[in-house]
Amino acid sequence: MKNLTLFLVIILIFTGCQYKPLDSDSIDNPPITESIKLESYYNQKSGIVFRWGDYRPDGVESHSTNMGETKGSFAGGQAYYDINKDGFQDILVTYHSESNEASTNWYLNSGDNVNFDKTNLINSSTIGLSSYKILKTDVNNDNLVDFILLGVDETQPGNYGGNFTVFKQIDNGTFDVIGIEDGFGLWFHTGAAGDLDGDGFVDVVGATYIWLGDGTGNFTNTGISVHDFGVEPALSYEILDINNDGYNDIVVGTQEAGPDMYGSTTSILFGKSTFGEYDVVSMPDTDTVFTLDLEFLDYDNDGDLDILELRGSVTNDGRQSNYSLIHLYINNNFTFTLDNDFYNESQDGAWQHGDTDKNGWSRFKIDDIDNDGIDDIVAENYQDGDYNGLKKIGGEWKKYRF
């Protein structure tokens, strides 16, 4: 992995900030009817959003969930699912104690989409398991939702590692833990799930490699890396059939490739009939340094999915901070044009929106959060600014506080 120093600034906000519970208005959202697909990208909508942050001196709080924790911090990944079948979405997330001990837990929705209570539904210890990304999928095709934790361990800078762990649901609503990889040198920053070899079982791309699933919850590293196709350094991923040819594709976001090389080589690896062969299309370069998250939306209603990539940079004003922006790659028959202005209202961090707005967004998703029948763009996880989303108002995306 090349030059991770700048991106480490983002990771540290998840372990260096104190979490404190906050009061918030109740959100009246109906239960979500879920249809689980192997591709984790399709399983993100929930009607709620997990956010956390610090107390602010102006009394305005930027997050909407009270997890009952009073100290410590949360890791960068989260997933939503009505695990206890009460009609309300629950949250799976990693909590880091004040001493930085990680454990991944279910937090059950109390019924108001605001207050959540920790519960034990996992059949073995999760101490030490972290999740910078959680993939929601079905690893063994039993129509029970499973989750894949991809975690990062950088407690000692330069000595990185992580975990690739499966939570396989059994029929009583609890989860067995399957450890896939916890070795040194594989940086499971994010990843994606979906069937890549056409056998009907879910596979994973993470730590740059493709891992094939056998339909039982076990995964094997093929040794095939997205870096083999010139897409590096890879840090964010999604799997979907973006060109509708019947073969899943891999969209890969990258960070800058050297201290003086700003921009991106974010690309699509188009799947083919032969597994392991890909045609590569690269996105136009941006003027931002690192990738944070990828989403997809047909913004112009032309029938082609366009790519939204949350990217960021570190400021050079003498204060340690960063900012983020959603870049739009407009898809015209798989020729992509970069538009940095369409989602210009998504700019966040570097004290743009309030005295505590040090960091930009870290994750985002497209979901109907305010239950008005129209999808919104909302920040997930740690968020410290005045605005935590975009809402389409008068045909334009405007910064908004949900």
Side-chain angles (χ1 to χ4, degrees), residues 81-85 90-92 104-109 117-126 145 147 167-177:
Y81 179 59
D82 181 10
I83 186 60
N84 60 348
K85 307 302 181 186
D90 309 305
I91 295 173
L92 179 67
T104 303
N105 307 287
W106 277 103
Y107 292 80
L108 298 185
N109 195 328
D117 300 311
K118 186 189 299 186
T119 189
N120 183 17
L121 295 172
I122 301 167
N123 296 324
S124 58
S125 173
T126 66
V145 177
F147 297 88
F167 285 1
K168 184 168 72 171
Q169 187 177 178
I170 56 179
D171 57 13
N172 65 354
T174 66
F175 295 83
D176 287 341
V177 178

Side-chain angles (χ1 to χ4, degrees), residues 233-267:
L235 288 174
S236 63
Y237 314 82
E238 290 294 355
I239 294 173
L240 73 164
D241 182 8
I242 195 170
N243 59 349
N244 296 312
D245 66 351
Y247 305 108
N248 267 335
D249 312 307
I250 305 173
V251 183
V252 186
T254 63
Q255 80 164 48
E256 52 88 25
D260 300 315
M261 296 174 62
Y262 288 75
S264 70
T265 53
T266 293
S267 303

Side-chain angles (χ1 to χ4, degrees), residues 113-287:
N113 294 334
V114 174
N115 297 289
F116 293 77
D117 300 311
K118 186 189 299 186
T119 189
N120 183 17
L121 295 172
I122 301 167
N123 296 324
S124 58
S125 173
T126 66
I127 298 297
L129 296 180
S130 187
S131 57
Y132 207 75
K133 183 77 177 284
I134 300 180
L135 312 178
K136 184 178 180 182
T137 185
D138 182 358
V139 298
N140 55 343
N141 292 352
D142 63 355
N143 294 316
L144 295 175
V145 177
D146 309 305
F147 297 88
I148 297 172
L149 275 62
L150 301 174
V152 175
D153 178 9
E154 280 209 352
T155 52
Q156 298 180 9
N159 185 27
Y160 62 86
N163 59 271
F164 175 174
T165 309
V166 174
F167 285 1
K168 184 168 72 171
Q169 187 177 178
I170 56 179
D171 57 13
N172 65 354
T174 66
F175 295 83
D176 287 341
V177 178
I178 304 173
I180 305 300
E181 177 64 54
D182 59 2
F184 170 78
L186 292 177
W187 209 54
F188 291 104
H189 172 255
T190 74
D195 183 9
L196 291 172
D197 62 352
D199 65 355
F201 301 134
V202 68
D203 308 306
V204 168
V205 57
T208 82
Y209 292 104
I210 294 174
W211 307 70
L212 293 185
D214 64 3
T216 70
N218 290 299
F219 294 84
T220 301
N221 189 345
T222 63
I224 299 172
S225 170
V226 298
H227 289 180
D228 298 337
F229 301 90
V231 184
E232 58 180 325
L235 288 174
S236 63
Y237 314 82
E238 290 294 355
I239 294 173
L240 73 164
D241 182 8
I242 195 170
N243 59 349
N244 296 312
D245 66 351
Y247 305 108
N248 267 335
D249 312 307
I250 305 173
V251 183
V252 186
T254 63
Q255 80 164 48
E256 52 88 25
D260 300 315
M261 296 174 62
Y262 288 75
S264 70
T265 53
T266 293
S267 303
I268 304 175
L269 278 61
F270 286 102
K272 303 172 72 172
S273 59
T274 301
F275 168 69
E277 294 184 2
Y278 294 94
D279 292 327
V280 180
V281 171
S282 295
M283 302 298 103
D285 284 349
T286 72
D287 58 358

